[in-house]
Amino acid sequence: MNRAPILTSAMLLLAVFLCWGIPGAMGQCSLCVTAGDNSCSGSWEDCETSTTGCEVSSTFAVPCNGNYCLRAWVSCSGNCLTCSACAIIVKAASGAIVQAWQSGCPAEGCDHQTCSVPLEVGVNYRLYVCLRPCDEDMDCGDCDDTCRAQATVSSPFGSPCPWLRP
């Protein structure tokens, strides 16, 4: 009789392990949304508050409730340290900002990602990406002309979104 609870617990753990281990089980929650911006606008401080001058993705919805990854980076043939990529997820219906994220500036590099963006099934979102000057004391004239701001929203598991090209 004492074996029944142990056997039940072992079977439950095995079922959870097998579910996580089946490649298609988490694939149904995969997501990859991309956007890019070639024209600098605004200022570094605008990232968390403004989508003005930004490029926007099509409306998207997530396949599962949970935390998703938001990645922002700058690609350049010149100096990427003069520009910043600002990625902003907004609720399509209200325009409310859900999460804003920046690529980082000179001391931080040109590519940053967070995988703690809570998104919900049944809500439509948009991804904005903005090429912005790299620091608060810079303007768009300081941003290298060859730079492109890029951003992705993706699932924290499975294959990452492909890199966009300028």
Side-chain angles (χ1 to χ4, degrees):
M1 286 281 201
N2 289 341
R3 289 184 154 179
I6 293 171
L7 183 57
T8 303
S9 297
M11 289 174 58
L12 181 60
L13 284 172
L14 180 61
V16 169
F17 176 76
L18 287 175
C19 180
W20 284 339
I22 297 171
M26 296 309 274
Q28 66 188 356
C29 293
S30 66
L31 175 75
C32 180
V33 177
T34 61
D37 184 17
N38 291 327
S39 59
C40 185
S41 63
S43 67
W44 179 79
E45 296 95 350
D46 291 335
C47 184
E48 295 184 13
T49 60
S50 175
T51 58
T52 302
C54 304
E55 292 295 320
V56 62
S57 72
S58 299
T59 301
F60 69 93
V62 297
C64 303
N65 289 330
N67 287 332
Y68 287 80
C69 298
L70 177 58
R71 180 177 174 208
W73 73 97
V74 176
S75 62
C76 296
S77 60
N79 179 7
C80 75
L81 299 179
T82 61
C83 305
S84 178
C86 178
I88 306 168
I89 298 174
V90 301
K91 290 184 177 179
S94 66
I97 294 175
V98 175
Q99 179 82 42
W101 196 253
Q102 291 189 41
S103 61
C105 283
E108 302 164 342
C110 301
D111 186 346
H112 280 129
Q113 175 173 286
T114 179
C115 289
S116 59
V117 181
L119 300 178
E120 301 173 5
V121 170
V123 177
N124 288 324
Y125 300 97
R126 290 188 187 271
L127 169 64
Y128 286 84
V129 62
C130 320
L131 184 63
R132 299 270 165 88
C134 192
D135 213 340
E136 55 195 39
D137 57 348
M138 295 178 156
D139 62 25
C140 283
D142 296 312
C143 188
D144 191 301
D145 290 342
T146 67
C147 291
R148 176 179 170 90
Q150 300 182 102
T152 60
V153 178
S154 62
S155 307
F157 41 80
S159 300
C161 282
W163 282 74
L164 299 174
R165 299 290 176 221

